[in-house]
Amino acid sequence: MTNVKRYLEGLQKKVHDTYGHQEEFLQAVDEFLHTVAPFMEANPQYSEKNILEMLIIPERLIEFRIPWMTDNGEWCVNTGYRVQYNSALGPFKGGLRFHPTVNQSIIKFLGFEQIFKNALTSLPIGGGKGGSDFDPKGKSEGEIMRFCQSFMQELQKYIGADIDIPAGDIGVGGREIGYLFGEFKRLNGYQAGVLTGKPLAYWGSLARTEATGFGLVYFVQHLLADAQDSFTDKKVLVSGSGNVAIYAIQKAQAFGAQVFGCSDSSGYVIDEDGIDVDLLKEIKEIRRERIRDYAEKRPNATFYEKGSIWNHSLDYDIALPCATQNEIYEKEANQLVANGVKIVAEGANMPTTLAAVTVLKKAGIVYCPGKAANAGGVAVSALEMAQNSQRVPWTFKQVDDELNSIMKNIYENCRDTALKYAEPMDLMAGANIAGFERVAIAMISQGLV
């Protein structure tokens, strides 16, 4: 056994012994550690300096209570989190998630992934993440506003334009960012760059709403172009129906693809005529209704209650999981193989389990991990920071062109790194190694901080 292998196995055991109750966090660490082994073998100085353990333990993890009042005058309490994971490349950057499943494990897994995602963009941002177990669904506008104000009363102690810049995530869109920004402004004065994903009226960026979905499709577009192929006439299925899914569908259709399905937490819809993006936006963004309501308005659409879209039997080429973590297990991966899928590209964070990835790779399916394929959102957040600093707004085309260029560079970096250290088109290894190398070099040059 080599010294590096012994080091990695010892570190993995230590992390499991310490954080055995944090399932999602351990999943992210395990996926990362086994892919960087060849790079560590070629560069033993990183194990000698114990860089990996310094990466796995966050710089700080903040947990706090959030009291808020319902419209009926009842007091409720939720738990808030912010993990400031690694600042070697710049101020902490990462979204806020409001969802009942949020806990320390979820926030740490998201923050850990964010380190490498942000590094892959080549922009000056470190990794962080935050959120709360608050559920915006079923809450009134007043309740959401009061919750956001209470959340920011504590969070504002730890963030700033050159310290930590939160953005949105699941459950946190322009409405929530507006309430958060307003409370920060009330307490600290106007600072445009303290949050990203802001409405355009006060220094938000054009193309930020579309960025993650567009970026995902740009990543796959460059992968296809590498093989002298394109999206034209490709059959696509998408999970989710939030911003990422909607704009991935829109861009894939613009490139000539046929997108037949999407989903939400209540089930999924298969539309034989192709997804009507305008109707989907009306249902999900304006009316805030369920995907069932979409199917009721389309004559050749069928709604399937509760089931996973990835268990549906249908011949198609590209799967874009854009919902949440761990939606594709071995069962779903085997169905993707049976359906003839050629590419799985993640719009969500860690939607595919490690066992499922093994199934996909064994079948020759190209797997594009979220830390690379969905980096478009944080990339445009960083571009929003640049616009805030310059006090100059960019056009939609400027932002979109820069996004496409960033996603091209990310794809090529993952491809070339995989070829150098792992196997051709092992984009998971390529993404992990390329992101890690950039962060590790910065940490060493700064004195391991």
Side-chain angles (χ1 to χ4, degrees):
M1 182 184 292
T2 65
N3 289 336
V4 168
K5 187 175 181 181
R6 191 178 300 111
Y7 167 73
L8 291 174
E9 290 181 354
L11 178 56
Q12 189 170 29
K13 182 180 185 303
K14 183 176 180 180
V15 173
H16 276 257
D17 289 346
T18 305
Y19 305 108
H21 59 293
Q22 297 183 352
E23 182 179 345
E24 295 85 2
F25 173 60
L26 292 178
Q27 181 182 342
V29 171
D30 288 347
E31 181 252 74
F32 175 78
L33 286 179
H34 95 271
T35 58
V36 298
F39 175 78
M40 300 291 286
E41 292 281 2
N43 298 274
Q45 68 271 24
Y46 294 117
S47 57
E48 292 165 4
K49 294 182 181 296
N50 202 16
I51 290 288
L52 281 175
E53 187 166 4
M54 293 183 191
L55 269 174
I56 289 170
I57 298 174
E59 293 183 26
R60 64 191 61 86
L61 174 63
I62 303 150
E63 180 175 340
F64 52 94
R65 68 176 183 179
I66 311 161
W68 59 279
M69 184 179 288
T70 69
D71 291 339
N72 296 326
E74 298 174 359
W75 280 100
C76 299
V77 181
N78 287 93
T79 304
Y81 304 92
R82 186 68 182 174
V83 61
Q84 296 178 330
Y85 226 115
N86 188 283
S87 58
L89 296 177
F92 306 105
K93 187 82 189 78
L96 299 171
R97 175 176 294 192
F98 292 169
H99 193 273
T101 61
V102 166
N103 55 31
Q104 271 200 26
S105 177
I106 296 286
I107 294 301
K108 285 175 65 179
F109 123 65
L110 291 169
F112 184 69
E113 293 274 291
Q114 199 76 41
I115 299 169
F116 311 108
K117 180 187 299 186
N118 293 359
L120 287 169
T121 69
S122 297
L123 297 168
I125 43 178
K129 206 73 179 184
S132 171
D133 56 1
F134 173 78
D135 188 357
K137 289 180 181 177
K139 305 296 192 302
S140 71
E141 290 288 327
E143 288 170 336
I144 291 171
M145 180 181 71
R146 289 191 293 276
F147 173 83
C148 289
Q149 290 170 340
S150 182
F151 183 88
M152 182 53 78
Q153 285 166 20
E154 185 65 22
L155 184 67
Q156 56 93 22
K157 301 173 186 176
Y158 310 104
I159 64 174
D162 295 311
I163 301 169
D164 183 350
I165 307 93
D169 194 81
I170 294 173
V172 180
R175 173 183 59 181
E176 290 77 16
I177 290 292
Y179 293 146
L180 293 165
F181 185 82
E183 186 65 9
F184 183 93
K185 179 171 69 71
R186 186 181 71 82
L187 296 170
N188 299 281
Y190 194 97
Q191 298 178 34
V194 73
L195 288 166
T196 58
K198 300 182 294 296
L200 295 176
Y202 40 95
W203 290 101
S205 175
L206 289 165
R208 177 60 189 91
T209 302
E210 298 87 348
T212 308
F214 278 19
L216 172 66
V217 173
Y218 288 147
F219 186 96
V220 178
Q221 177 197 32
H222 294 301
L223 186 159
L224 289 167
D226 229 6
Q228 287 76 53
D229 202 352
S230 73
F231 267 103
T232 302
D233 295 328
K234 292 290 185 296
K235 296 179 180 179
V236 180
L237 239 58
V238 177
S239 67
S241 51
N243 274 352
V244 181
I246 287 172
Y247 291 102
I249 294 169
Q250 179 176 312
K251 183 57 71 173
Q253 289 178 339
F255 284 161
Q258 300 170 320
V259 185
F260 291 102
C262 59
S263 66
D264 64 16
S265 59
S266 68
Y268 65 95
V269 64
I270 300 295
D271 190 338
E272 295 178 9
D273 296 326
I275 296 295
D276 182 331
V277 174
D278 290 336
L279 176 59
L280 185 62
K281 288 180 181 179
E282 180 182 338
I283 293 289
K284 302 303 289 189
E285 296 182 340
I286 299 173
R287 299 185 186 179
R288 299 184 184 275
E289 294 177 343
R290 310 303 285 157
I291 203 70
R292 179 196 301 274
D293 299 291
Y294 171 93
E296 290 175 354
K297 294 174 174 60
R298 295 280 287 175
N300 292 320
T302 303
F303 174 72
Y304 298 85
E305 188 172 8
K306 295 298 182 184
S308 168
I309 196 170
W310 306 122
N311 285 323
H312 193 86
S313 179
L314 181 73
D315 290 337
Y316 59 100
D317 305 294
I318 299 172
L320 302 178
C322 298
T324 189
Q325 71 270 3
N326 293 337
E327 54 178 293
I328 300 178
Y329 293 86
E330 285 182 85
K331 177 184 176 182
E332 289 77 15
N334 283 315
Q335 186 62 57
L336 292 174
V337 174
N339 288 343
V341 170
K342 303 296 189 297
I343 297 170
V344 175
E346 296 180 335
N349 293 305
M350 205 171 70
T352 314
T353 68
L354 189 54
V357 172
T358 301
V359 171
L360 299 178
K361 290 172 68 175
K362 186 176 180 180
I365 295 174
V366 179
Y367 166 69
C368 309
K371 62 171 62 73
N374 73 26
V378 75
V380 172
S381 279
L383 299 181
E384 182 177 331
M385 292 163 58
Q387 295 169 72
N388 294 164
S389 297
Q390 295 172 345
R391 297 294 194 270
V392 176
W394 298 0
T395 66
F396 188 100
K397 186 177 186 304
Q398 281 179 286
V399 178
D400 193 40
D401 286 348
E402 188 64 24
L403 169 63
N404 194 358
S405 177
I406 289 170
M407 298 312 298
K408 183 176 188 290
N409 290 337
I410 291 174
Y411 164 69
E412 292 176 349
N413 193 5
C414 293
R415 178 201 63 192
D416 296 346
T417 303
L419 187 62
K420 181 176 180 180
Y421 289 106
E423 297 176 358
M425 296 310 293
D426 185 348
L427 298 179
M428 180 168 69
N432 285 337
I433 292 170
F436 169 65
E437 183 176 21
R438 187 161 184 255
V439 176
I441 289 171
M443 291 175 69
I444 289 175
S445 71
Q446 294 167 19
L448 300 179
V449 295

